[in-house]
Amino acid sequence: MKSKTYKSNKNSSFAKGQLSLEYLMLLAISFSMLAIFISTAGNFLDKSEISLEKQKAKHFSETFNQAISELTLFGAGSAKQVHLYNKFPWTILINSHEISINILAKGQETINVTAKISESADIEETEIVCVGCSLLISKNKDYFSASIIANDKNN
């Protein structure tokens, strides 16, 4: 007679456990790689926002210089409005020689952008702090001045 052979369930449960452990290891590795990617992408986003803000500051200083140049052609009482499209708070210091913009970026990092005033104009020294505001540059009889006329909190 033939004898019956029975398979032991011990080996099949061990194989199932090993397979589950392999899937858990792959899942852990996948989550680790995802976490590294997300942190790297976040750092890249922060750096790109700061770079964009620096470009906005340079553009603003050029626009300010252009406004002063245009206003020198007109008489006293002339004015020009300049808009700022900044995301982070700016401290703008304007005097007769230069415009200096300090940007308070994420993580309390401060970035300074300085530009020379192209026209030899007498500009009243002014310090302005704003986010998304509009400035009015005015030509008075003997000097230029800058002041905030609107501050957009939603920008």
Side-chain angles (χ1 to χ4, degrees):
M1 294 205 122
K2 293 185 180 178
S3 66
K4 294 184 177 181
T5 56
Y6 296 102
K7 290 187 178 178
S8 171
N9 286 339
K10 188 175 182 182
N11 285 340
S12 81
S13 66
F14 178 73
K16 287 181 183 177
Q18 183 178 358
L19 190 60
S20 296
L21 182 63
E22 289 171 355
Y23 281 129
L24 285 175
M25 291 295 286
L26 285 173
L27 188 63
I29 290 169
S30 299
F31 281 143
S32 299
M33 291 175 66
L34 182 64
I36 291 169
F37 173 74
I38 288 174
S39 70
T40 304
N43 290 339
F44 178 73
L45 183 62
D46 290 344
K47 288 179 182 179
S48 64
E49 284 180 340
I50 290 169
S51 178
L52 181 61
E53 203 72 10
K54 283 174 76 173
Q55 291 300 318
K56 288 178 184 178
K58 288 177 184 176
H59 182 263
F60 170 74
S61 64
E62 291 169 3
T63 304
F64 185 85
N65 268 325
Q66 183 180 5
I68 293 293
S69 297
E70 290 174 9
L71 289 173
T72 55
L73 302 174
F74 298 105
S78 301
K80 180 157 175 104
Q81 187 173 354
V82 179
H83 301 283
L84 280 77
Y85 300 102
N86 52 330
K87 183 177 179 178
F88 301 118
W90 288 7
T91 302
I92 305 167
L93 181 61
I94 303 167
N95 61 36
S96 293
H97 307 291
E98 67 182 12
I99 180 168
S100 177
I101 303 169
N102 287 318
I103 304 166
L104 183 62
K106 290 182 178 179
Q108 305 299 321
E109 181 182 352
T110 304
I111 300 145
N112 189 355
V113 176
T114 304
K116 299 285 182 196
I117 301 292
S118 59
E119 293 289 324
S120 58
D122 191 20
I123 301 173
E124 181 180 46
E125 188 165 321
T126 308
E127 184 173 345
I128 298 169
V129 178
C130 71
V131 175
C133 60
S134 294
L135 299 182
L136 184 67
I137 304 166
S138 306
K139 181 179 181 181
N140 301 314
K141 186 176 182 182
D142 299 328
Y143 63 93
F144 292 91
S145 63
S147 59
I148 295 178
I149 58 169
N151 201 348
D152 181 16
K153 301 284 185 191
N154 298 325
N155 193 11

